[in-house]
Amino acid sequence: MNSSKWIWRIVSVISILAFLLLLAGFVYAIRDIQYPQAGKELAAPQTNPQEGAAAENPDAKKELKIAVIGDSLAKGTGDHSGMGFARRTVNELSASTGKKVQLLNNLGINGLTTTGLLPKLEERGTQYVLGQADIILLSIGGNDLFRGADLISKGNAGTASTAKRQELDPKDLLKGLPKASTQLKAILERIRAINPAATIVYVGLYNPFGDMQELQIPGNQAVASWNQTALETMNHYSNMTLVPTFDIFQNHLDKYLSSDHFHPNGDGYQQIAVRIVQGLD
């Protein structure tokens, strides 16, 4: 009989403990529902403040990517080293910022005009390169002005035609300006649409025939009109810069032009590269 009593007492104690344990679990569950605590997998991700700043501010990036597009100046024609202003800008920018600067691709094409560049911007490869860039360097317009006026023979880009120079009407240099300016605006808009965040640097025109009496004044007027129109267009957009080059070559054509008397030589491209980096500061 006594053993039965003890058995019942033990069973009662176990039942009471089990009830209390269930009660504690129930209370904990209610509190967890009313006052939830974030688990590790649901906790807000920890962000490195420096990484966040780099994503928002290109100046904070450790690496800069550059794409180049446009005509023979973009390609670097006339520079025997093959560097042009593209690779020289990479070197200058790396030295001035201390950052790694990568040239993604040089999409420069000899003889390219604004008319020829527009469809290039619709190519997937072109869009991919431009879309990856932090800085886009653009050179276009020289062929629109000087080839349009037949100052450059179509068989040998960059060579002035003596016969055509003697017959040149100064108005010929300006006749293609309205259409080319409209197309330049379309080019800038398209590049901006392809890459809304990149800094777009447009390399302004110079007059390669400024040392020829019959072409000095009309050439200067045409180039000044073109550069002014380009600047007015770019002023409507953010993060675009026009780099002037006219003053670099004026009165220094013998020093900075290559033997074709149209494209810069290595020293000329170096001056443009320095000017580009100054414009990016």
Side-chain angles (χ1 to χ4, degrees):
M1 181 70 69
N2 288 334
S3 61
S4 297
K5 264 183 198 179
W6 279 107
I7 291 173
W8 283 107
R9 285 178 181 177
I10 293 172
V11 170
S12 298
V13 170
I14 292 174
S15 298
I16 292 171
L17 291 174
F19 174 77
L20 292 175
L21 182 61
L22 288 172
L23 181 62
F26 179 77
V27 171
Y28 181 83
I30 294 297
R31 289 185 60 189
D32 191 57
I33 292 173
Q34 293 180 337
Y35 308 102
Q37 296 180 358
K40 291 182 181 179
E41 67 278 7
L42 298 178
Q46 298 297 315
T47 303
N48 186 329
Q50 293 182 349
E51 291 178 356
E56 296 178 2
N57 182 8
D59 292 338
K61 291 184 177 181
K62 295 182 179 180
E63 180 178 357
L64 294 174
K65 298 178 181 180
I66 295 180
V68 183
I69 191 167
D71 53 23
S72 52
L73 263 72
K75 186 175 181 179
T77 301
D79 185 351
H80 296 306
S81 72
M83 295 176 66
F85 68 67
R87 294 198 175 277
R88 294 174 186 276
T89 296
V90 168
N91 294 341
E92 289 293 322
L93 192 58
S94 178
S96 66
T97 63
K99 299 178 182 179
K100 179 180 178 181
V101 183
Q102 177 186 0
L103 179 61
L104 294 174
N105 206 334
N106 188 332
L107 303 175
I109 300 175
N110 283 338
L112 196 65
T113 62
T114 54
T115 300
L117 179 55
L118 278 169
K120 292 289 181 184
L121 297 177
E122 303 307 317
E123 297 177 2
R124 293 181 62 183
T126 299
Q127 292 183 359
Y128 177 79
V129 172
L130 297 182
Q132 300 299 309
D134 300 303
I135 301 169
I136 298 172
L137 306 182
L138 169 65
S139 172
I140 199 73
N143 293 312
D144 291 83
L145 284 186
F146 299 114
R147 177 165 284 172
D150 289 328
L151 287 179
I152 309 171
S153 66
K154 295 177 175 56
N156 183 13
T159 303
S161 169
T162 304
K164 290 297 181 182
R165 289 205 309 268
Q166 293 174 346
E167 301 169 2
L168 177 68
D169 185 333
K171 294 180 181 178
D172 288 343
L173 278 169
L174 299 174
K175 65 182 180 182
L177 185 60
K179 179 182 178 181
S181 298
T182 300
Q183 292 181 152
L184 175 61
K185 180 180 179 182
I187 288 168
L188 293 170
E189 289 176 343
R190 191 71 187 101
I191 294 176
R192 172 53 72 226
I194 293 170
N195 190 332
T199 298
I200 300 173
V201 178
Y202 175 70
V203 179
L205 302 188
Y206 58 88
N207 180 13
F209 306 118
D211 57 348
M212 301 177 183
Q213 186 175 1
E214 67 275 22
L215 296 179
Q216 183 179 38
I217 294 177
N220 289 349
Q221 290 175 340
V223 169
S225 296
W226 175 274
N227 288 337
Q228 182 61 34
T229 301
L231 183 60
E232 290 173 356
T233 299
M234 299 182 75
N235 283 340
H236 289 87
Y237 304 93
S238 61
N239 218 16
M240 290 189 185
T241 301
L242 185 146
V243 172
T245 64
F246 182 87
D247 60 309
I248 293 176
F249 293 90
Q250 188 180 30
N251 300 323
H252 299 288
L253 295 177
D254 57 337
K255 182 178 180 181
Y256 292 136
L257 282 188
S258 66
S259 58
D260 65 14
H261 205 278
F262 187 75
H263 299 98
N265 57 22
D267 292 336
Y269 279 117
Q270 179 64 26
Q271 293 297 317
I272 294 175
V274 170
R275 187 67 61 82
I276 289 172
V277 173
Q278 290 173 345
L280 290 170
D281 289 340

